[in-house]
Structure formats: structure tokens, C-alpha cells
């Protein structure tokens, strides 16, 4: 009788806990946290330098780079459409891309934990997508992005388009070998997806299904567009003084260095890699000016758009899809 009484008491307490109110409070706190981080980030920026950079840069270059940057964000956001297709997620494509777009902007400026992970879970949960499915979508997005990276970097390294500085421990031969390894990994992935007899595998409690070749082609094509557009943005700010392949490789190397360092936006890492790789091509101050202009257009302009977009997402778009708001 005592056990039954305790169980009844626990059940009664659970029924009295206002879970709906707690959920709304937690949602509001998360919204305020993201808003606070975005505003704090904006206040830390040296806006006078940013404004000076914009004034000194040709307006046509700024507009072109900004347009290419927006196209690059759309390409990145379309990674999530692959996961949406694979896992049959029943939400509109534009809401999927908006969630990914906001996450990408926050990821670049605030770091992966807030931007790529926490914010993605938040945005997709508001659309009624289960956490387990969000994890899968995020996994497909990351895998697609870096598989494409391996394909592009591998091709550039193997062809000898990249000449590392003499001070680097890994020389030209080393990078050619590394490129061959990258291409072999991509070829292995494509080959397994094309010829494997078994399509579904289980690792512990997780199940993995190999995608069809058309999905693989979609992944690699999207990644190729995304990375190429990103390199094209920064290329605009070197005014034709460097060849595109050199800028492309410098960006690819800097992105890996930034990811390994876990510094939000690769702050300082991006600049250091570009100076190390291009010091023999351009004066240091021109390299830093080009990278800073790239940061303004590719990082800060989307950041300025993110807060109002996030507000619109929370108050208008997600509310229509959130099951808890349905009468």
C-alpha cells in the first residue's frame, strides 16, 4: 500500500507540473540567449574599421561579393534539403533552408555549439521535427560538406596547384599524397554506394542506409557549388592580383585550420593562414585588407540579417508548424 501511495503521489506531482509553461519559458530564454549573443557579438565589432573598409572598396565589388555570398549561403542551406529528402521530413523546403541559413550564419560567428548544434535543434523542434531526425539531418549536412571538401582539396593538391611555404613540415610531395588519399576516400564512398549488395548497416543502436547514387551526386554537386562560391567571394577582394586556384586553396586550408582550432569564425586563424600562404604574392597589409573585407561581406552582413530573420522564424513561420500551437 505504501508503494502504491508513493507512486500515486509521484504521478499526482507530475500532473501538477506545468510542462507547457516550462517549455514556453525555456523557449523564451533560448531566444533571449541567442539574441544576447548576436547583439554582444555586434557590439564587439570595430564598426569604424568595417565602415572604412566599405568606403575604400569599389561599390561594384562589394555588391558582387555580397550577391555571391548570399548564393553561397543558399547552397549551404540546401544541404539540409538532402536530409529532408532522405528522412522524408514533412516540412516545406523554404522553412528547411531558412533554418539552415540562420544556423550557418550563427555557426560562423558564434561557433558550432550554438550555431550548428543548439540552434538547429531549436529551429527544427519549432517546426515539429523530432530530435533524432534533426541529428540525422545535421549529420548528412556535415558529411556532405566535408566529403565535397575532400573531393575539391584532393583534386587541387594532386594537380600541384598548391605549393606550400618552405617553412611547412609537409612539402609538395606530401600534399600530393594527401590529395590522393582524399580522392581515394571520396571514390571509396561513391563506390560503396554504387556497388554494395547490402544497403543498410547497424552500428550499436544506430542504423545507417547507403544513399542512392543520385543522392551522392547531389551531395558532391552542392558541396562543389558551396565551396567554390565561398572562394569566389574572397577572390573578389584581391582584385585579380592572385589566380583563383591560389585563393581557393588558401581558403580550403584556412577552413580546416579554423575547424580544428574551434575558434568561432576562425578569427585570427583565417588571417594567419592567408598571410602564411600568400606572403610571397602580395604585401601583408593587402592580404589582411582583403580578408577583412571578406569577413565583412561573408560573416557580418549575414549576421546583421540573422537576428530579424530569427525573430520572424520564431514568431511567424515556426508558430504555424509547431504542434503545440494547434488548437
Amino acid at each position: 500500500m505504501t508503494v502504491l501511495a508513493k507512486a500515486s503521489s509521484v504521478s499526482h506531482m507530475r500532473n501538477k507540473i506545468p510542462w507547457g509553461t516550462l517549455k514556453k519559458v525555456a523557449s523564451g530564454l533560448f531566444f533571449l540567449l541567442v539574441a544576447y549573443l548576436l547583439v554582444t557579438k555586434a557590439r564587439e565589432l570595430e564598426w569604424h574599421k568595417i565602415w572604412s573598409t566599405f568606403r575604400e572598396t569599389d561599390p561594384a565589388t562589394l555588391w558582387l561579393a555580397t550577391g555571391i555570398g548570399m548564393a553561397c549561403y543558399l547552397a549551404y542551406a540546401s544541404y539540409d534539403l538532402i536530409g529532408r529528402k532522405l528522412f522524408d521530413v514533412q516540412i516545406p523546403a523554404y522553412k528547411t533552408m531558412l533554418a539552415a541559413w540562420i544556423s550557418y550564419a550563427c555557426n560562423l560567428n558564434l561557433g558550432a555549439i550554438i550555431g550548428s548544434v543548439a540552434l538547429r535543434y531549436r529551429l527544427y523542434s519549432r517546426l515539429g521535427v523530432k530530435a533524432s531526425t534533426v541529428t540525422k539531418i545535421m549529420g548528412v549536412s556535415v558529411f556532405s560538406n566535408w566529403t565535397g571538401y575532400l573531393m575539391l582539396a584532393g583534386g587541387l593538391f594532386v594537380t600541384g596547384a598548391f605549393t606550400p611555404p618552405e617553412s611547412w613540415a609537409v612539402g609538395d610531395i606530401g600534399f600530393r599524397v594527401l590529395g590522393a588519399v582524399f580522392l581515394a576516400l571520396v571514390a571509396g564512398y561513391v563506390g560503396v554506394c554504387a556497388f554494395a549488395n547490402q544497403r543498410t548497416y547497424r552500428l550499436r543502436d544506430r542504423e545507417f542506409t547507403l544513399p542512392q547514387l543520385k543522392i551522392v551526386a547531389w551531395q558532391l554537386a552542392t558541396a562543389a557549388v558551396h565551396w567554390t562560391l565561398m572562394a569566389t567571394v574572397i577572390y573578389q577582394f584581391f582584385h585579380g592580383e592572385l589566380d583563383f586556384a591560389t585563393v581557393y586553396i588558401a581558403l580550403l586550408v584556412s577552413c580546416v585550420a579554423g575547424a580544428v582550432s574551434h575558434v568561432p569564425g576562425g578569427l585570427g586563424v583565417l588571417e594567419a593562414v592567408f598571410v602564411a600562404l600568400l606572403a610571397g604574392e602580395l604585401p601583408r597589409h593587402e592580404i589582411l585588407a582583403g580578408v577583412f573585407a571578406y569577413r565583412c561581406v561573408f560573416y557580418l552582413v549575414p549576421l546583421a540579417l540573422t537576428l530579424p530573420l530569427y525573430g520572424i522564424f520564431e514568431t511567424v513561420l515556426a508558430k504555424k508548424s509547431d504542434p503545440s500551437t494547434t488548437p
Side-chain angles (χ1 to χ4, degrees), residues 77-98:
S78 66
Y79 283 134
D80 281 31
L81 293 180
I82 301 173
R84 173 179 173 271
K85 172 70 174 178
L86 285 173
F87 308 118
D88 193 29
V89 179
Q90 299 300 311
I91 58 175
Y94 79 93
K95 290 187 179 182
T96 303
M97 293 190 70
L98 183 58

Side-chain angles (χ1 to χ4, degrees), residues 24 34 69 106 115 135 161 217 248 254 268 278 292 312 314 324:
K24 290 180 180 179
V34 173
C106 289
T135 303
Y248 205 151
S254 68
L278 307 178
F292 185 72
I312 292 171
E314 287 279 359
S324 65

Side-chain angles (χ1 to χ4, degrees), residues 11-317:
S11 177
H12 180 67
M13 289 178 63
R14 286 178 177 173
N15 290 334
K16 290 183 67 176
I17 295 175
W19 293 110
T21 302
L22 290 176
K23 181 180 177 181
K24 290 180 180 179
V25 170
S27 298
L29 290 175
F30 186 83
F31 175 81
L32 292 174
L33 172 63
V34 173
Y36 169 76
L37 291 173
L38 290 173
V39 171
T40 302
K41 179 72 176 180
R43 292 179 64 183
E44 291 174 354
L45 300 174
E46 297 179 277
W47 289 105
H48 63 285
K49 290 186 178 180
I50 295 171
W51 177 241
S52 176
T53 299
F54 272 90
R55 289 182 61 185
E56 294 172 4
T57 305
D58 179 27
T61 300
L62 283 174
W63 282 112
L64 179 59
T66 301
I68 297 170
M70 294 300 101
C72 181
Y73 269 69
L74 290 175
Y76 181 89
S78 66
Y79 283 134
D80 281 31
L81 293 180
I82 301 173
R84 173 179 173 271
K85 172 70 174 178
L86 285 173
F87 308 118
D88 193 29
V89 179
Q90 299 300 311
I91 58 175
Y94 79 93
K95 290 187 179 182
T96 303
M97 293 190 70
L98 183 58
W101 198 98
I102 294 171
S103 298
Y104 187 39
C106 289
N107 182 21
L108 289 178
N109 289 281
L110 304 178
I113 299 299
I114 292 293
S116 186
V117 179
L119 195 57
R120 245 197 188 99
Y121 278 109
R122 167 63 185 170
L123 296 174
Y124 276 115
S125 69
R126 294 286 282 134
L127 294 172
V129 181
K130 294 181 180 178
S132 58
T133 304
V134 179
T135 303
K136 293 177 183 178
I137 292 174
M138 194 159 50
V140 167
S141 178
V142 172
F143 183 81
S144 300
N145 184 46
W146 289 105
T147 301
Y149 177 95
L150 293 178
M151 176 185 68
L152 296 166
L156 289 169
F157 292 169
V158 163
T159 58
F162 173 57
T163 303
E166 294 181 1
S167 59
W168 285 31
V170 181
D172 180 63
I173 299 300
F175 271 95
R176 288 178 184 267
V177 171
L178 184 62
V181 171
F182 284 174
L183 292 177
L185 289 173
V186 176
Y189 169 60
V190 174
V192 168
C193 291
F195 302 111
N197 293 324
Q198 182 180 342
R199 307 297 300 177
T200 301
Y201 298 85
R202 179 174 291 277
L203 180 62
R204 294 183 180 179
D205 59 339
R206 296 187 179 277
E207 192 175 84
F208 300 90
T209 301
L210 294 174
Q212 298 177 343
L213 275 182
K214 62 181 181 181
I215 298 295
V216 175
W218 186 1
Q219 290 177 304
L220 296 178
T222 301
V225 171
H226 167 236
W227 286 106
T228 301
L229 287 174
M230 191 189 304
T232 305
V233 174
I234 195 168
Y235 175 71
Q236 303 303 312
F237 296 109
F238 291 114
H239 314 293
E241 297 182 56
L242 298 171
D243 63 88
F244 183 68
T246 299
V247 176
Y248 205 151
I249 290 170
L251 179 72
L252 292 176
V253 173
S254 68
C255 285
V256 167
V260 171
S261 69
H262 298 295
V263 176
L267 190 61
V269 179
L270 181 67
E271 289 79 0
V273 171
F274 266 79
V275 169
L277 292 179
L278 307 178
E281 306 287 338
L282 285 177
R284 186 173 182 273
H285 71 276
E286 290 188 22
I287 296 171
L288 291 175
V291 174
F292 185 72
Y294 164 73
R295 279 196 179 278
C296 290
V297 166
F298 197 74
Y299 287 62
L300 305 183
V301 170
L303 178 65
L305 296 173
T306 295
L307 185 55
L309 277 178
Y310 182 51
I312 292 171
F313 190 100
E314 287 279 359
T315 59
V316 180
L317 298 179

